[in-house]
Amino acid sequence: MEYWLERYNSLIKKFEKEDQTKIPLCAAETYTSNFSLKALNSHIEGKYGFGTNDFIGGNIVLELKKLCSDLCKEIFNSKYSNFDTMTGMSSITYTIMALLNFGDNVLITTPNQGGHPSLPIILETLGITFDEMPYSFENYQIDYDMANIMLNTKNYNAIIFCQSDLLAPPELECFNFLDDTMIIYDCTQTLGLIAGNMIKNPMENLDNIVLLGGTHKTLPSPSCGIIMSNNDNIISKLDGRLSPGFLRYIQPNHIAALILSLIEFKEFGNEYCKKIQDTNLILSNLLIDYGFKIAKISDKEYSKTHQIFMLTSEEEMERMFDNANRFNVTLNKKHKQLFKDYGIRLGVQQISQYGWNENEIQKLAQLLYLLSKKNPNYDEINVIRKFLISKKVPVFSYDNCVIE
């Protein structure tokens, strides 16, 4: 036993040290407060939620899900919500299984234009054919004119938005949707920005839509999946098939953690999302000053999300990624047309939790500049790192609260 515990403890200590000393710029991860994490230790974990007819005590899990649904109704204005899935990709997979059939045809955002690379694999496995969404790589946005031509000339059972790399959300009001065209919208990356009123909630103006996503990007929560809709026909299919049809056991402790995260978000969410927006703009401008090429969605805007695209050569991308890894700065390297072939993706959602002002963001831009050098100055980098690590103090959370 000592051997296995020693190995386990060694890994946990290694992670905790790296986590405490990292500069978090990965767009796919976030800070989760101790307030929310307390729920993960609840003994409600492992309990089924079918109600008293199947599992005695399951009614408590059902009440927990009802509480989470009530919060989502208030925050997202959703009539129906489901939390039985664990991640964004599991939520979209089960939604597709529930709403589409073998032989259906859909229009999707593809990996080359920022779409999630798993989506085509899922569709092919389920026997669903798909066409690529027309896209303007110059504007980092869907080509709506071409998309509307496709919608008017070909019958699609659904349109699926599932973007991991995005500077701006799809402008759904620009589509000429047919009345029976279903919209499946994975907003994993921007779920928090929608909840925080920085991005328009598509359910407010569209009826035939499913809004879904993972909760651990711009919504600062432990991992969980959310599936929401206000359409009665869609709700009927989802409610009848998701659980217990496809899913028998769920993770009620993760739902409990999501509840605490949503309670916390109701208090701090709008201010936090505004901080994401401000931090993105300040950092983008500073990086431009340091000579970096930053993607823009218009003459005046770099991004409407938490993401920043640094456009580089292959050599610059590899050098910056290797240096970042060496100095424990988390970011993503990208090789796709969306980045003009090569680039670095940054996310400001986690550093925004620390409420950094322009002084800290200036230091961060300087750090990224040093990491881009062939022979980076170790001493200078470590001085900046030490300063930024000392400023990793969350301000948009209930971390000092005690949960009984």
Side-chain angles (χ1 to χ4, degrees), residues 49 71 82 89 135 164 190 198 216 241 257 272 285 304 312 341 372:
L71 276 164
N82 179 285
M89 284 316 300
Y135 195 84
S164 295
T190 56
M198 290 296 112
H216 55 286
R241 297 176 183 176
Y272 164 58
N285 281 324
K304 292 182 181 293
T312 68
D341 287 334
S372 70

Side-chain angles (χ1 to χ4, degrees), residues 160-355:
I160 303 178
F161 302 94
C162 183
Q163 294 168 284
S164 295
D165 304 319
L166 77 164
L167 297 177
E171 299 174 4
L172 300 187
E173 64 275 12
C174 294
F175 283 95
N176 297 326
F177 293 117
L178 301 178
D179 291 339
D180 59 346
T181 302
M182 183 164 47
I183 304 157
I184 300 175
Y185 185 169
D186 182 344
C187 62
T188 295
Q189 294 288 332
T190 56
L191 188 63
L193 296 174
I194 291 173
N197 300 311
M198 290 296 112
I199 290 177
K200 185 183 299 184
N201 183 347
M203 290 194 297
E204 291 179 358
N205 299 315
L206 292 169
D207 174 65
N208 205 26
I209 186 170
V210 183
L211 189 68
L212 57 86
T215 61
H216 55 286
K217 308 298 195 238
T218 53
L219 185 67
S221 166
S223 176
C224 193
I226 295 181
I227 302 170
M228 297 177 286
S229 185
N230 290 327
N231 182 284
D232 290 336
N233 184 46
I234 290 174
I235 292 171
S236 177
K237 290 180 179 178
L238 290 172
D239 202 34
R241 297 176 183 176
L242 287 179
S243 179
F246 299 142
L247 293 161
R248 289 277 164 167
Y249 171 69
I250 59 175
Q251 290 75 28
N253 57 328
H254 280 253
I255 297 173
L258 174 58
I259 288 172
L260 295 184
S261 297
L262 291 174
I263 292 171
E264 189 175 61
F265 198 87
K266 276 177 57 63
E267 176 72 22
F268 302 106
N270 287 359
E271 189 179 1
Y272 164 58
C273 289
K274 182 64 167 60
K275 190 65 179 179
I276 290 176
Q277 190 178 58
D278 292 344
T279 301
N280 191 314
L281 179 60
I282 294 170
L283 181 57
S284 295
N285 281 324
L286 288 169
L287 291 174
I288 290 283
D289 291 342
Y290 273 106
F292 290 105
K293 187 176 181 181
I294 305 300
K296 299 182 76 171
I297 58 176
S298 70
D299 291 339
K300 297 181 179 180
E301 282 188 291
Y302 299 102
S303 175
K304 292 182 181 293
T305 72
H306 60 300
Q307 297 185 17
I308 297 172
F309 291 179
M310 302 175 68
L311 309 179
T312 68
S313 67
E314 181 178 11
E315 180 184 354
E316 290 168 337
M317 178 192 73
E318 295 292 353
R319 180 170 63 245
M320 191 163 190
F321 184 81
D322 289 344
N323 285 336
N325 187 46
R326 183 183 309 167
F327 290 100
N328 199 14
V329 178
T330 62
L331 43 75
N332 306 110
K333 63 178 180 179
K334 296 289 180 176
H335 173 33
K336 58 175 61 176
Q337 187 176 351
L338 193 65
F339 288 77
K340 314 300 183 188
D341 287 334
Y342 298 99
I344 297 289
R345 184 185 72 168
L346 305 176
V348 302
Q349 75 287 351
Q350 187 160 345
I351 61 171
S352 296
Q353 277 284 351
Y354 309 135

Side-chain angles (χ1 to χ4, degrees), residues 53-70:
N53 290 334
D54 296 280
F55 284 87
I56 294 174
N59 58 307
I60 301 296
V61 177
L62 293 179
E63 290 179 28
L64 192 75
K65 292 169 67 175
K66 175 63 166 57
L67 173 57
C68 203
S69 291
D70 289 344

